[in-house]
Structure formats: C-alpha cells, structure tokens
Amino acid sequence: MESRSAILLSSLLFSLLLSTTSAQLSSDFYKNTCPNVESLVRTAVTNKFQQTFVTAPATLRLFFHDCFVRGCDASMLIDSPTNTAEKNHPDDISLAGDGFDTVVKAKAAVDSDPQCTNKVSCADILALATRDVVVLTGGPFYPVELGRRDGRISTIASVQRHLPQPFFNLDQLNSFFGFNNLTQTDMIALSGAHTIGVSHCSRFSRRIYKFSPKNPIDPTLNLTYAFQLRQMCPLNVNPTIAISLDPTTPNKFDNAYYTNLQQGKGLLSSDEVLFTDARSKSTVDLFASNNDAFQQAFVSAITKLGRVGVKTGNQGEIRHDCSRIN
Ligand code: HEM
Ligand SMILES: *[C@@H]1O[C@H](CO)[C@@H](O)[C@H](O)[C@H]1NC(C)=O
Ligand SMILES: *[C@@H]1O[C@H](CO)[C@@H](O)[C@H](O)[C@H]1NC(C)=O
C-alpha cells in the first residue's frame, strides 16, 4: 500500500515535472534531432529573399497573424478545400503568398536532411524564418525559442476577434495585444515591423478623402504626405496598388517608422495614434531617438509574441506538409 502510493506520488511528480518542462520553449530544442535546423532554414530563406524582397514583410506579417489566431501553431498555413480556414478571412487574404512560400521552401530544406525529416514543426520554421528576414533587412539578430507543435484546427471564425484593425485607437490596440500577454511597450515595438512592407490604399483611404464632414483629411496626417498619398491612391484606385508603410526607408528594418510618426507620416491610423495619444508618445519618442532601445524592445516583444498560445510536448503534431494537417 505504502509503496503503491509512493509510486503514485512519484509518477504524479514526474508528470508535473514533464508538463512544466514541456510548456517551455528552448533555443536548443532540436540539438539532438536536427542540429542544423537553423542553418537549413537560413539558407532557404536567404535564397528566397534574394529572389524577392517581399519575402521579408510577408513572412514577418504571417508570423504575427499566425500567433494572434490560436497561438503560434502554423494554423494560418492550413489550406481548406471549402475556403473556410484562417487564411481565407478577409484580413488574411492580403497576406502575401511569398510568406507561405518561404515556409514551404524552408520546410523542404529541413526535411531534405534525413536526420530532420518530419522532426521540426512548421510553427518553429516560421519563427526561425521570421528572425532571419528581420536580420536580412538590417534588424537585430536574436535567439529563437523552439519546441512549438503544429495545430490541427484552422477556422475562418476564429480570426475576427483576434486581429487588430488599422482604424483601432490605443485602447483597442492595447486590449488586443493584452489578450496575448503583450504590454503597450511590446505593442509599440512590434508595430515597428511596419518599417518594411506595404499597405493597400483601401486600408487608409478614409484618412485622405473622407475623414470627417468638416475635414476630408485626417488632421494628424502631415499635409504634404497626405497630398502625396492622394496622388498614389486616387479615388477608384486599382485595388492592387500598395504603398510603403515606411515612406523614408521602406526596405530597411530600422527605427524610421517612429521618426515618421513624429512627422505625421504614419500610414495607418493605428500607426499614427501611437504618437498622437499622450499615453504612448514618450515610447515613440524614445524609439525614434534611440535605435538600440527600439531593437532591444523589439527582440523582447517578438520573443514574447513567439510564446503566445504555443502547443508543446505531445499537444498538436509535427505537420508533414505545412498546408494540411497530418
Ligand atoms: C498594431 C496593430 C496592427 C495593425 C492594425 C496592422 C495592420 C496592418 C495592415 C492593415 C497592413 C496592410 C495590409 C494590406 O493592405 O495588404 C499591414 C501590413 C503589415 N504588417 Fe501590420 N498591423 C499591426 C501590427 C503588426 C505587427 C505586430 C506586425 C509584425 C510583428 C506587423 C507586420 C506587418 C507587415 C510586415 C506588413 C507588410 C506586409 C507586406 O508588405 O506584405 N503588423 N498591417
Ligand atoms: C511634413 O513633412 C515635411 C516634408 O517631408 C517635413 O519637412 C515637415 O516637418 C513635416 N511636418 C510636420 C508638421 O511634421
Ligand atoms: C498569458 O499568460 C497566462 C499566465 O502565464 C497564461 O495562462 C496564458 O495562456 C497566456 N495567454 C496566451 C494567449 O498565451
């Protein structure tokens, strides 16, 4: 009897220990199963980046959307024959195909190493590829925590209440990031991802044409910039036209995003509000004046983003094809 309860107790302790360790990600997670995973991914991502710059913004945004909907579990990559997966939601239709293709290419590179075949999750490959595109565009290098498992569920319905909208005010932005344990400072640092990439005109056209009955142009926009935007985005613009989120250095991962905000050149309302709301302005001013402070905050925030809702241990699966569950 005594030894039975001792066994019960020790197995309870053991499973507690297992569940706490399995809930942790670690940067050497694949050291025995796929020791070269980092260089395999980096080579594939670098090749793809040399073919097209869009690789970088597309991968970075894909990681953000994936993590915010059901956690960082590659559920955003799942295809649906009935078009009812996360990626079919209107907010995700504009995710550039090159982000998905980056993961497909990196996954093929990883799986081509016999030791690694079907050992590395699509979620981890996306996290690594995201770090690599940040570095390729001039941003900071940081260690990537690994050990995520891939999700088996992807529904269009789970998207709506999780992704922030470009017309959100500071309270709305804070609450959507807060759901995911990210602070206002994390949110401001992560918004710095808009230092690369583009937005379609429809996402901000209200700001340059019909802001209010009294004022057609959003008064927080730099007027010179607003008129440039009107030229690039005429009424009835071709819906495929897209404008750089950072008009100053659109292809460089730097802190120009924040100096833009100081000059009224935040393209989306959710960008400019970070400067116009007194509660977030001092952080924007700090990041604008100090690129190191921005980079440090970005690394801390994207590491926390990479922990959102992760599946570990024996949850989920290691998907064989990133676009479908096993
Ligand atoms: C703060 C709330 C955010 C809002 C409201 C927002 C909204 C948007 C919108 C509307 C676009 C343009 C989409 C299009 O028209 O094609 C965009 C693009 C982009 N977003 Fe965000 N975003 C936010 C935060 C983030 C975060 C946290 C990241 C990554 C860490 C990110 C990365 C990107 C990138 C890289 C692009 C450019 C994509 C491309 O060029 O293909 N965004 N975002
Ligand atoms: C508006 O942009 C111009 C030109 O880019 C710049 O010189 C000016 O300082 C900006 N205005 C404001 C109010 O920041
Ligand atoms: C936020 O943190 C709490 C406490 O650590 C955790 O239980 C919860 O799952 C986290 N939320 C997300 C979305 O990761």
Side-chain angles (χ1 to χ4, degrees):
M1 191 63 195
E2 217 169 72
S3 75
R4 229 183 109 192
S5 57
I7 289 169
L8 266 176
L9 184 68
S10 60
S11 70
L12 182 75
L13 280 173
F14 185 67
S15 57
L16 259 175
L17 192 77
L18 260 188
S19 65
T20 44
T21 41
S22 67
Q24 298 285 321
L25 303 175
S26 71
S27 45
D28 63 358
F29 185 81
Y30 294 106
K31 71 171 183 287
N32 298 321
T33 45
C34 183
N36 296 327
V37 64
E38 303 230 2
S39 70
L40 289 163
V41 171
R42 190 189 324 114
T43 304
V45 173
T46 305
N47 287 339
K48 166 95 188 152
F49 179 75
Q50 281 162 356
Q51 286 157 20
T52 171
F53 178 83
V54 184
T55 302
T59 304
L60 183 52
R61 186 168 182 236
L62 179 59
F63 181 62
F64 166 52
H65 281 215
D66 182 45
C67 290
F68 262 45
V69 185
R70 288 185 179 277
C72 312
D73 68 346
S75 53
M76 194 58 71
L77 278 69
I78 293 176
D79 281 339
S80 154
T82 49
N83 292 339
T84 50
E86 290 173 21
K87 59 163 21 179
N88 302 114
H89 189 275
D91 289 347
D92 299 316
I93 297 279
S94 66
L95 287 168
D98 285 308
F100 299 90
D101 190 48
T102 299
V103 180
V104 168
K105 295 233 158 77
K107 167 78 167 163
V110 169
D111 284 350
S112 72
D113 181 332
Q115 203 184 344
C116 302
T117 311
N118 298 330
K119 297 271 169 53
V120 182
S121 67
C122 299
D124 279 346
I125 289 174
L126 176 56
L128 285 168
T130 298
R131 185 271 311 276
D132 293 340
V133 298
V134 168
V135 172
L136 283 165
T137 48
F141 178 90
Y142 53 93
V144 178
E145 296 180 339
L146 300 169
R148 297 169 192 78
R149 306 266 297 176
D150 295 324
R152 295 176 46 84
I153 301 170
S154 180
T155 66
I156 198 165
S158 56
V159 176
Q160 195 65 48
R161 58 188 184 282
H162 296 288
L163 288 178
Q165 296 297 320
F167 49 79
F168 272 12
N169 63 30
L170 188 71
D171 290 314
Q172 294 169 309
L173 292 170
N174 277 333
S175 92
F176 273 56
F177 280 71
F179 292 146
N180 296 309
N181 294 333
L182 297 163
T183 65
Q184 175 174 290
T185 304
D186 294 330
M187 183 272 289
I188 299 168
L190 286 168
S191 295
H194 289 174
T195 179
I196 57 172
V198 296
S199 170
H200 294 85
C201 298
S202 60
R203 302 307 200 108
F204 57 84
S205 61
R206 211 182 87 87
R207 301 187 74 205
I208 54 174
Y209 288 114
K210 40 180 184 186
F211 182 71
S212 73
K214 195 172 97 193
N215 208 343
I217 298 182
D218 183 338
T220 68
L221 265 179
N222 182 308
L223 207 54
T224 314
Y225 181 53
F227 283 115
Q228 286 166 352
L229 291 176
R230 278 188 171 188
Q231 286 192 320
M232 295 186 281
C233 296
L235 283 166
N236 304 317
V237 64
N238 172 340
T240 64
I241 297 290
I243 307 300
S244 292
L245 286 156
D246 170 0
T248 313
T249 52
N251 290 358
K252 243 192 123 24
F253 194 99
D254 58 11
N255 62 341
Y257 170 79
Y258 302 100
T259 48
N260 293 336
L261 300 186
Q262 292 175 319
Q263 297 170 19
K265 295 177 191 165
L267 185 58
L268 306 176
S269 188
S270 55
D271 294 320
E272 197 57 52
V273 75
L274 303 179
F275 181 72
T276 54
D277 193 305
R279 294 169 294 168
S280 45
K281 179 176 182 295
S282 60
T283 307
V284 170
D285 288 338
L286 170 67
F287 293 165
S289 66
N290 186 336
N291 193 43
D292 287 344
F294 162 54
Q295 292 202 344
Q296 272 181 36
F298 183 82
V299 166
S300 159
I302 201 156
T303 303
K304 283 169 74 176
L305 176 64
R307 294 176 190 153
V308 170
V310 291
K311 297 166 180 67
T312 56
N314 53 15
Q315 298 170 309
E317 64 186 14
I318 304 289
R319 230 176 272 153
H320 297 183
D321 171 345
C322 292
S323 68
R324 66 196 80 240
I325 60 171
N326 292 344

